[in-house]
């Protein structure tokens, strides 16, 4: 397994990978869209699942870069993260939101909503729309059912950054990234982000 997939260097630090992923198309069994919002987490970060060391739940985070780390949030939603950094370092990027582009009918059926802005705006909604489940935990991102397509070479995307959301530790860390002006974020970024 290599560190590069779709022009993303998964061996890089999590905040770098989180920024590189904006604009990349993520498909799971042909369903998905452009990544418009991410959050970075590092082993030394108290908000990271890896902060306390390896466990059964977070074992995928300690594996090779370029794999999926899937976990259940609040006992309800399956969330998708991409493992990055060197094996054993345990860093990851939470995929927070997509602009849906492929398989909209499938996503609408899975989510039970019509508005495309509500299909993948937030990690729980995204997980449901893409049928993320624990069987994907530890799976390589370069092989089916995953497909990552590079961002187009069109004008360089403008990114915004801000504090991560939905956590209680290290909330001041500005490791949430998004495509400026996207209508598909999970929540607005602070002004001047």
């Amino acid at each position: 397994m290599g560190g590069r997939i779709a022009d993303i260097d998964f061996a890089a630090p999590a905040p770098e990978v989180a920024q590189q992923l904006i604009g990349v198309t993520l498909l799971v069994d042909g369903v998905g869209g452009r990544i418009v919002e991410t959050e970075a987490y590092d082993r030394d970060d108290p908000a990271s699942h890896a902060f306390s060391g390896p466990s059964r739940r977070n074992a995928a985070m300690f594996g090779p870069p370029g794999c999926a780390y899937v976990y259940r949030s609040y006992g309800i939603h399956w969330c998708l993260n991409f493992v990055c950094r060197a094996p054993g370092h345990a860093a990851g990027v939470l995929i927070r939101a997509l602009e849906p582009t492929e398989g909209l009918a499938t996503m609408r059926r899975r989510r039970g909503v019509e508005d495309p802005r509500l299909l993948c705006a937030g990690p729980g909604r995204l997980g449901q729309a893409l049928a993320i489940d624990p069987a994907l935990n530890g799976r390589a991102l370069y092989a089916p059912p995953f497909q990552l397509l590079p961002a187009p070479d069109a004008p360089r995307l403008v990114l915004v950054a801000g504090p991560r959301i939905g956590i209680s530790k290290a909330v001041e860390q500005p490791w949430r990234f998004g495509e400026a002006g996207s209508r598909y974020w999970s929540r607005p970024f602070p002004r001047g982000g």
Side-chain angles (χ1 to χ4, degrees), residues 69-166:
Y69 166 50
V70 175
Y71 70 90
R72 191 163 222 153
S73 176
Y74 302 111
I76 304 169
H77 307 291
W78 292 108
C79 297
L80 177 63
N81 295 257
F82 293 168
V83 175
C84 51
R85 294 292 294 261
H89 182 81
V93 174
L94 174 64
I95 309 303
R96 285 201 58 86
L98 298 178
E99 176 182 342
T101 59
E102 303 293 327
L104 271 74
T106 299
M107 287 190 262
R108 285 181 170 121
R109 187 180 73 252
R110 289 172 178 165
R111 290 267 308 118
V113 296
E114 288 296 315
D115 187 345
R117 289 178 297 172
L118 298 178
L119 293 175
C120 298
R125 291 173 176 171
L126 185 149
Q128 186 179 23
L130 301 186
I132 301 302
D133 67 28
L136 299 175
N137 191 42
R139 300 272 297 269
L141 298 172
Y142 63 80
F146 294 108
Q147 189 174 12
L148 292 176
L149 305 172
D153 286 335
R156 195 68 192 136
L157 294 172
V158 176
L159 302 184
V160 290
R164 297 172 295 185
I165 51 181

